[in-house]
Amino acid sequence: MPLPAPDGGKEQRGRVLAIGGSATVPGALLLAGVAALRAGAGKLQLATVQAVAPGLALAVPEALVLGLPADAQGEIARGSSALDQTLQCTDAVLIGSGMRPLPPTATLVQRAIRHARCTLVIDAGALAPDLRAGPGAPFVLTPHAGEMAKLSGMEKARVQREPQDLALAFARRTRSVLVLKGATTFVAAPDGRLWVHPGGCHGLGTSGSGDVLAGLIAGLAARGADALQAALWGVFAHAQAGRLLEGSVGSLGFLAREIADGVPGILDRVRG
């Protein structure tokens, strides 16, 4: 992993912008944002619906929070000029945590693609089958098996039978790094390389765990890792944090909000 200079400050470790949440699922963005900071990012900005923005600002005092217009269902309805400016001066963007796959979400994703000048991590409701990164600028896509089935138009059972082939095919098609999440996670690069990580645990299959993983990847990208490197390190750190919680809490029942706490120590131990 890229390491900051000993006398380097927060600016050197990069800025993450996380876009997501809704009136009914505001906590997903909190989980992702805190994870980005736990991965070592220097600054955090959160963009969510205006109604929950003040509460999120209090819950994550380390972050600058931007409120966006909402629709009748409490979902982000559209972006803003302030969001566009922020997209252009950040080091990693995460979009999708706590969002549903609706037309306004797809429009917001395209807005992020247009304005961002950095690694874009796309998760949850922001995932779509028509995503395609520009040459040399891969996205990081983070579906679980159910989401992968919808993206590929195939049965979930087939995704579970043929995860490697489908991950590689989708990574090539989207020109992106694909993280197919599960107890065994497959990380496919657009150039045809594939990594298999069998080190997950059952306890990580809990609400909000994927938001934490997406935040870790965004935080590592902000620090200077490229899309593939951030994805691989994020998967590793997420799994190791789950293993730690298995030992201290139990094999089941630990919470997504607890996962990121162990990541700084995990990264330090690997580095040492």
Side-chain angles (χ1 to χ4, degrees):
M1 278 299 303
L3 296 175
D7 59 349
K10 59 188 177 184
E11 298 291 348
Q12 193 182 38
R13 299 200 313 276
R15 177 184 315 211
V16 172
L17 169 63
I19 308 167
S22 63
T24 55
V25 195
L29 197 62
L30 182 152
L31 292 171
V34 169
L37 291 175
R38 289 296 193 189
K43 287 185 173 183
L44 174 65
Q45 294 182 313
L46 303 174
T48 191
V49 292
Q50 181 62 57
V52 302
L56 193 60
L58 291 173
V60 191
E62 299 87 352
L64 183 154
V65 180
L66 177 64
L68 299 174
D71 61 18
Q73 287 74 43
E75 302 283 332
I76 297 174
R78 61 182 186 278
S80 67
S81 58
L83 178 63
D84 294 344
Q85 292 170 9
T86 304
L87 282 162
Q88 293 171 18
C89 58
T90 191
D91 300 289
V93 175
L94 165 60
I95 184 167
S97 299
M99 300 177 75
R100 291 193 291 166
L102 300 171
T105 301
T107 300
L108 194 62
V109 171
Q110 291 304 314
R111 191 167 189 158
I113 291 171
R114 247 185 349 263
H115 291 283
R117 304 288 183 267
C118 60
T119 297
L120 186 60
V121 182
I122 304 176
D123 185 40
L127 292 164
D130 59 349
L131 292 169
R132 187 173 174 85
F139 305 142
V140 180
L141 311 178
T142 57
H144 54 59
E147 290 166 335
M148 190 68 218
K150 293 178 182 177
L151 293 173
S152 62
M154 297 178 182
E155 296 289 334
K156 181 178 177 180
R158 182 175 175 187
V159 173
Q160 293 170 325
R161 285 196 311 269
E162 306 172 23
Q164 300 187 32
D165 292 342
L166 292 175
L168 282 167
F170 203 75
R172 288 192 189 99
R173 193 175 95 196
T174 59
R175 295 177 177 165
S176 297
V177 175
L178 184 83
V179 179
L180 181 52
K181 302 178 291 191
T184 297
T185 294
F186 300 87
V187 181
D191 62 6
R193 288 179 291 167
L194 179 77
W195 284 258
V196 182
H197 189 278
C201 60
H202 291 304
L204 285 172
T206 188
S207 178
S209 178
D211 301 312
V212 174
L213 174 59
L216 293 176
I217 294 171
L220 294 167
R223 286 178 51 177
D226 62 33
L228 178 60
Q229 187 180 33
L232 292 170
W233 276 96
V235 167
F236 169 79
H238 185 257
Q240 289 297 306
R243 292 291 186 193
L244 286 178
L245 288 167
E246 270 192 326
S248 62
V249 178
S251 59
L252 295 176
F254 56 80
L255 305 178
R257 75 185 74 161
E258 299 170 311
I259 296 169
D261 292 349
V263 168
I266 290 166
L267 295 179
D268 275 353
R269 286 190 291 276
V270 174
R271 184 178 66 188

